[in-house]
Amino acid sequence: QLQLVVSGGRLVQPGGSLRLSCAAPGFSLDIHVIAWFRQAPGKERVGVSCISAPGCTTNYANSVMGRFTISRDNAKNTVYLQMNSLKPEDTAVYYCAAAGTGNWWAVASMVNLHEFRVWGQGTQVTVSS
């Protein structure tokens, strides 16, 4: 199955920081809108942040605004999610996903998960003391 490779999740204290990475060994990410989603146990998968193909435009969920930063290095074929000031509510499995289009306006809301056609395996982030 064609997937993205996600890494960086671990246990961290409230107020701490983590950086997640998303790479694509089998294809180039530079024409894709990339998004981070998360899913807590018993809850639906929701969008966290996304970034346009060239990296010039970003969106964030209200719950992470001001704390998380998405970025990409297309030369390294990698997308990052820097997470600061982490809260217990951030505990979830985090997924990276590539949209089937580079059309920012079609997918930037992260509402329609079916628009994201390639997914990573997920990485566990646990925020607890």
Side-chain angles (χ1 to χ4, degrees), residues 45-90:
R45 190 173 300 185
V46 296
V48 176
S49 183
C50 61
I51 187 166
S52 63
C56 57
T57 309
T58 58
N59 277 355
Y60 298 92
N62 289 336
S63 59
V64 307
M65 181 70 69
R67 300 188 297 120
F68 291 11
T69 302
I70 191 171
S71 63
R72 69 192 302 161
D73 186 342
N74 284 339
K76 296 182 178 179
N77 205 35
T78 303
V79 177
Y80 305 97
L81 184 67
Q82 178 67 45
M83 305 185 295
N84 298 326
S85 301
L86 283 161
K87 304 176 180 179
E89 310 94 88
D90 297 317

Side-chain angles (χ1 to χ4, degrees), residues 5-12 17-22 36 81 83 121-125:
V5 179
V6 182
S7 62
R10 62 176 176 87
L11 174 67
V12 64
S17 297
L18 287 174
R19 189 180 75 162
L20 306 182
S21 298
C22 174
W36 291 94
L81 184 67
M83 305 185 295
Q121 80 283 6
T123 187
Q124 177 70 48
V125 173

Side-chain angles (χ1 to χ4, degrees), residues 2-41:
L2 182 61
Q3 288 188 324
L4 301 168
V5 179
V6 182
S7 62
R10 62 176 176 87
L11 174 67
V12 64
Q13 290 184 326
S17 297
L18 287 174
R19 189 180 75 162
L20 306 182
S21 298
C22 174
F27 67 100
S28 178
L29 294 178
D30 62 4
I31 63 170
H32 296 274
V33 175
I34 306 297
W36 291 94
F37 296 82
R38 67 186 182 187
Q39 187 168 22

